[in-house]
Amino acid sequence: MKIGVIGSGDVAKTLGGGFLKHGHEVAMGTRDPAKLADWGKAHPRSRIGTFAEAAQFGQVVVLAVKGTVAADALRLAGAANLAGKTVIDATNPIADAPPVNGVVSYFTTFGDSLMERLQREFGAAHFVKAFNSVGAACMINPQFAGGKPTMFIAGNDAAAKKTVTEILIQFGWETEDMGGAEAARAVEPLCMLWCIPGFQRNDWVHAFKLLR
């Protein structure tokens, strides 16, 4: 597939590289091309352009920016360029505040989620929450002694979630579909839980698994 990645941080670069590894075409969108200069040299098959160019290119669009700027990034990408497309939302609503005993703060409430806000504003796009509950180092074909980890996803469009599930299978994950966009209220806080061992013990190499 053609994948447009909006972002130029570690998550964006990791996912972009993962899609290239698995044979997809990738266009990276950034506001600062210098941030992707070295990455682009290491991944010569990729394209680097603006948010709008990446969104227009992608059959699937990946949103991998700070949660505080997620809506602004999508506005720059252009609603028309997102319409009808699967948008993999890897963001978390982390507030600009230091963690307290390892617990980060969110700017959302228990009755709302960042993905729901984005879905309401960009109603013609098909958002699927994914890749928000694990660190970049373990996103692509992770290897754990306990087997494949679980990625929890949520979104309103069944076809979009099927597409994301197929990608997750390629990337070495088991997938648990938690339901509609409202489920992002539960999926997004998994990042808070995931971060605690990192901030407290510098343990950033772990993932969740659902057992039955």
Side-chain angles (χ1 to χ4, degrees), residues 10-66:
D10 288 343
V11 171
K13 290 187 284 189
T14 296
L15 290 175
F19 281 108
L20 288 168
K21 171 186 173 181
H22 287 284
H24 302 281
E25 297 179 60
V26 174
M28 304 289 287
T30 179
R31 282 189 279 196
D32 183 2
K35 290 183 178 180
L36 291 172
D38 290 340
W39 187 92
K41 291 176 184 176
H43 300 84
R45 292 190 293 116
S46 66
R47 307 181 186 193
I48 296 175
T50 65
F51 289 164
E53 288 168 339
Q56 187 176 39
F57 174 85
Q59 296 166 290
V60 171
V61 177
V62 180
L63 179 64
V65 298
K66 287 180 62 176

Side-chain angles (χ1 to χ4, degrees), residues 104-127:
V104 298
S105 297
Y106 275 18
F107 57 77
T108 49
T109 67
F110 288 118
D112 196 13
S113 66
L114 178 55
M115 192 182 80
E116 286 176 277
R117 296 181 184 185
L118 299 175
Q119 183 66 83
R120 285 193 295 267
E121 181 170 351
F122 301 91
H126 305 306
F127 285 83

